[in-house]
Amino acid sequence: MKGHLVSTVPVIAGRDIALPRHVAIIMDGNGRWAKKRLLPRAAGHKAGVEAVRRVTRHARAIGIEALTIYAFSSENWRRPEEEIGDLMGLLRLFIRSDLAELVRENVRLKIIGDHRRFPKDVVALIDDAVARCAANTGPILAIALNYGAQAELVRAAQRLAERLPPDQIDAAALESELETRDLPPLDLLIRTSGEHRLSNFLLWQAAYAELLFVDTLWPDFGAADLDAAVVAFGSRNRRFGGL
């Protein structure tokens, strides 16, 4: 297992804070944000993209090494076709408008999940974006697209069963087959909108992550909310099963 290490950032709340290396976010509440304002759901998703920009920029600014965002789950295909189309359109827009900034800011872009199911032009945009960021050496932005943790674990187990005898399959071997194998261990998982479940996201990786459920709807989540989450993380005593 990879070691859980934290760095220290002295700029949040005026004091030293144990900074998580890897933060993951379940970005929930776009639809409810729009409904509260009597707007179509598409408006909520558009506002959610603006929140992605705010949060990813601030995560880089405070020194978070890796940020993983749950953008489209394998279960989201159950949503109406019109909404899925809106989400694909926003993904196109985000890549086209933000790719230059990611390259300039030395961000390493990673996709987890099976994005090959997306429309061909979206797949091409994603592949081009990953390729253009491939030489970067800075913070990691991992985007979960058509991702489901149970399917990830099944695929990992199947690959291990093909090449290893049962007595050689252990936690480290399974972890080496996960899509997050080149990311730091997950330290902090945040879910917005007041829901209290993981929704098939990073189930293995979250085994010893700190979980934080906040009431803020995702489009309203910003730099101050991320700072508050980091402060909450820094106040927790992580024992990893020990005393």
Side-chain angles (χ1 to χ4, degrees):
M1 298 286 285
K2 294 173 287 188
H4 288 259
L5 302 174
V6 294
S7 57
T8 300
V9 57
V11 296
I12 298 176
R15 57 194 177 96
D16 287 349
I17 296 295
L19 184 70
R21 295 179 65 201
H22 182 185
V23 176
I25 305 178
I26 301 174
M27 306 179 296
D28 195 17
N30 292 349
R32 277 167 282 173
W33 184 93
K35 184 176 181 180
K36 285 175 62 176
R37 290 159 176 79
L38 304 179
L39 296 171
R41 288 179 63 85
H45 293 311
K46 185 176 181 180
V49 171
E50 292 301 320
V52 169
R53 290 192 178 101
R54 290 195 304 269
V55 171
T56 55
R57 287 169 179 166
H58 191 62
R60 295 198 300 268
I62 63 175
I64 290 173
E65 184 177 336
L67 177 68
T68 301
I69 56 175
Y70 204 10
F72 193 94
S73 79
S74 53
E75 287 75 36
N76 284 157
W77 295 109
R78 301 171 186 170
R79 296 190 177 189
E81 287 188 15
E82 181 179 0
E83 182 170 350
I84 292 173
D86 290 336
L87 291 168
M88 293 298 111
L90 286 171
L91 182 55
R92 291 183 184 97
L93 180 62
F94 177 78
I95 294 172
R96 288 169 177 155
S97 61
D98 288 55
L99 178 56
E101 177 181 330
L102 296 179
V103 173
R104 184 176 65 250
E105 293 293 320
N106 198 30
V107 174
R108 290 176 283 170
L109 181 62
K110 179 179 177 62
I111 305 299
I112 64 173
D114 182 16
H115 70 285
R116 301 289 167 184
R117 186 175 170 183
F118 288 177
K120 289 184 179 179
D121 69 305
V122 176
V123 173
L125 282 171
I126 293 169
D127 289 346
D128 177 65
V130 171
R132 289 180 60 185
C133 293
N136 290 349
T137 58
I140 300 167
L141 173 60
I143 305 178
L145 296 171
N146 192 27
Y147 172 85
Q150 291 176 333
E152 177 189 31
L153 289 167
V154 168
R155 289 192 298 268
Q158 289 170 337
R159 287 192 294 267
L160 286 175
E162 289 174 354
R163 65 181 181 85
L164 290 177
D167 62 352
Q168 292 183 23
I169 297 176
D170 57 14
L174 195 147
E175 189 173 78
S176 72
E177 294 289 343
L178 298 180
E179 296 182 54
T180 55
R181 57 189 172 272
D182 53 348
L183 296 178
L186 181 60
D187 291 315
L188 173 63
L189 190 151
I190 304 165
R191 182 170 187 149
T192 62
S193 87
E195 302 291 351
H196 295 78
R197 56 182 177 271
L198 296 182
S199 295
N200 201 19
F201 184 51
L202 301 180
L203 299 180
W204 174 279
Q205 297 85 342
Y208 280 102
E210 295 297 316
L211 308 182
L212 184 65
F213 301 100
V214 299
D215 292 334
T216 307
L217 300 176
W218 174 247
D220 292 327
F221 196 92
D225 300 284
L226 183 58
D227 284 349
V230 168
V231 170
F233 170 85
S235 71
R236 295 187 182 182
N237 181 14
R238 305 183 75 201
R239 294 185 296 275
F240 301 103
L243 298 179

